[in-house]
Amino acid sequence: MDRAVTGRGRRPRTEAVRRRRAVVLLVLVWSVHLAAQLGGVAVLAGLTQVLAMPVLAAVLWTSTSSPRGPLVRLALGALALSWLGDSAPRLAPEELSFLVMVVFFLGAQVVYACAFWPYRHRSLLARPVRAAPYLVAAAAIVLVCAPSAGALLPAIAVYSAAIATMAVLATGLGRIGAVGGAVFVVSDSLIALDAFDVLTVADQGFWVMSTYLLAQLLLMVAVRRADAELRPVRTR
């Protein structure tokens, strides 16, 4: 039997096994995390939150193959910054933890926006009137948080503009990307409203994390689909 043929046949099966393992690990980690949020098990919730983005990155990595284009590489970078946003505040002084989180997630939104920028002609950015609700939502969050934000107000304003821009550009990746971007805005709005004593929903941690994880997952699905569309062009 031709060794080259055998090798080519074995490689797709190996990649499929790795992909399934990554998906199983993601489901396990995320399920435990959300259960811990609902159950108020803070230590377990904290541990699994730190693992949440690495397992999603593993799913994206194993769902794509070389050569990975800029979209996938930038998406992985955004996940890395999101992981830092989830992790670094735990190591920062309490009075700086929120600002540290904002800085890293601001970086993630900027990297996401760069990743989605090549698709801007398909996004709501090309139809400004339809993008207006995103801008209104961002401005509303800044306005309602302003009385309590104090010195953090400029950071909140910049972050709100960045996530609104990311969400608008995410519409260029299709309906899944659009929903992912919008849900990300909802998740971060819940954090801001709670942090500045505007609104705290019941089971706050669960709803923040469930919307956050859903948003990241949807964005990765959109990235994977867009990458698959481009693959024939890159491999010619």
Side-chain angles (χ1 to χ4, degrees), residues 28-90:
L28 177 62
V29 170
W30 286 18
S31 297
V32 171
H33 176 73
L34 293 177
Q37 287 285 357
L38 277 177
V41 187
V43 173
L44 185 57
L47 174 61
T48 49
Q49 183 172 345
V50 170
L51 297 174
M53 290 304 102
V55 295
L56 181 56
V59 170
L60 179 60
W61 182 266
T62 56
S63 298
T64 56
S65 55
S66 297
R68 293 176 177 85
L71 176 62
V72 172
R73 295 198 300 269
L74 286 169
L76 289 167
L79 290 180
L81 286 165
S82 298
W83 172 72
L84 288 170
D86 289 333
S87 309
R90 303 170 190 278

Side-chain angles (χ1 to χ4, degrees), residues 59-236:
V59 170
L60 179 60
W61 182 266
T62 56
S63 298
T64 56
S65 55
S66 297
R68 293 176 177 85
L71 176 62
V72 172
R73 295 198 300 269
L74 286 169
L76 289 167
L79 290 180
L81 286 165
S82 298
W83 172 72
L84 288 170
D86 289 333
S87 309
R90 303 170 190 278
L91 305 177
E94 185 176 353
E95 64 274 13
L96 294 178
S97 61
F98 184 79
L99 182 59
V100 169
M101 180 185 70
V102 169
V103 167
F104 281 118
F105 275 106
L106 174 61
Q109 304 306 338
V110 171
V111 173
Y112 268 136
C114 292
F116 304 153
W117 181 252
Y119 302 85
R120 61 192 180 279
H121 63 285
R122 292 162 37 178
S123 76
L124 294 182
L125 195 64
R127 290 159 283 180
V129 173
R130 296 180 62 181
Y134 291 87
L135 303 179
V136 171
I141 291 298
V142 174
L143 287 174
V144 298
C145 294
S148 303
L152 287 175
L153 183 58
I156 299 305
V158 170
Y159 185 84
S160 296
I163 192 170
T165 302
M166 180 281 293
V168 169
L169 289 171
T171 63
L173 273 64
R175 185 172 299 177
I176 293 176
V179 175
V183 174
F184 216 139
V185 172
V186 171
S187 181
D188 281 359
S189 297
L190 289 174
I191 293 175
L193 294 174
D194 174 64
F196 298 110
D197 299 319
V198 177
L199 173 69
T200 302
V201 299
D203 297 315
Q204 170 83 11
F206 172 80
W207 290 112
V208 166
M209 288 306 300
S210 59
T211 50
Y212 167 63
L213 296 178
L214 176 61
Q216 295 277 27
L217 177 62
L218 291 174
L219 290 177
M220 290 309 106
V221 171
V223 165
R224 171 66 184 86
R225 290 189 174 188
D227 178 71
E229 291 175 1
L230 290 174
R231 180 157 299 280
V233 176
R234 291 204 303 273
T235 55
R236 281 176 187 169

Side-chain angles (χ1 to χ4, degrees), residues 6-27:
T6 303
R8 285 197 298 269
R10 185 179 298 121
R11 184 176 177 182
R13 289 197 295 269
T14 302
E15 291 174 348
V17 169
R18 289 174 179 169
R19 183 165 57 250
R20 285 197 296 270
R21 287 175 178 171
V23 170
V24 169
L25 186 58
L26 179 143
V27 172

